[in-house]
């Protein structure tokens, strides 16, 4: 089981015919792995919010989102909190 799950929130199919790897999560995940953390990256471009929620099981969940994925981020964050996870939001819209 991953200690930390990093999630790219689904963006409602706005990039349906292209794949944009979640480089920010890959970079952060690699950094954290260098310090001994077990990381799982969940890419919302291929999964719905409901599918992501089913996979949430880590003690900490980091969610990256943008203006197209605010609603999905809120659903994932709420479900993760209900499961007892610590939730951290990131991405350029987090502030």
């Amino acid at each position: 089981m991953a200690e930390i799950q990093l999630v790219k929130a689904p963006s409602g199919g706005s990039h349906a015919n292209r794949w944009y790897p979640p480089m920010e999560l890959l970079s952060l995940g690699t950094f954290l792995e260098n310090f001994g953390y077990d990381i799982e990256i969940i890419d919302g471009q291929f999964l719905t919010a409901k599918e992501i929620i089913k996979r949430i099981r880590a003690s900490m969940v980091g969610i990256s989102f943008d203006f197209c994925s605010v609603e999905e981020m809120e659903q994932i964050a709420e479900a993760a909190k209900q499961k007892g996870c610590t939730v951290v939001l990131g991405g350029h819209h987090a502030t």
Side-chain angles (χ1 to χ4, degrees):
M1 177 167 74
E3 287 180 14
I4 300 173
Q5 290 176 301
L6 301 175
V7 177
K8 179 73 172 184
S11 60
S14 63
H15 306 299
N17 59 351
R18 294 182 184 91
W19 181 49
Y20 299 97
M23 298 304 290
E24 70 281 12
L25 298 183
L26 295 169
S27 176
L28 179 59
T30 300
F31 177 82
L32 293 170
E33 281 182 340
N34 287 332
F35 286 92
Y37 291 96
D38 184 23
I39 305 297
E40 179 183 11
I41 295 174
I42 302 173
D43 190 350
Q45 188 162 351
F46 299 103
L47 300 169
T48 66
K50 287 182 182 181
E51 291 169 325
I52 291 170
I53 290 166
K54 288 179 187 176
R55 293 180 179 212
I56 297 296
R57 63 186 179 282
S59 58
M60 181 176 285
V61 176
I63 306 170
S64 177
F65 69 101
D66 58 31
F67 68 94
C68 294
S69 59
V70 172
E71 184 177 326
E72 291 83 355
M73 173 275 296
E74 289 174 343
Q75 292 171 9
I76 295 165
E78 182 61 33
K81 286 181 185 180
Q82 289 177 0
K83 292 182 178 189
C85 306
T86 298
V87 177
V88 179
L89 300 179
H92 61 281
H93 287 289
T95 56

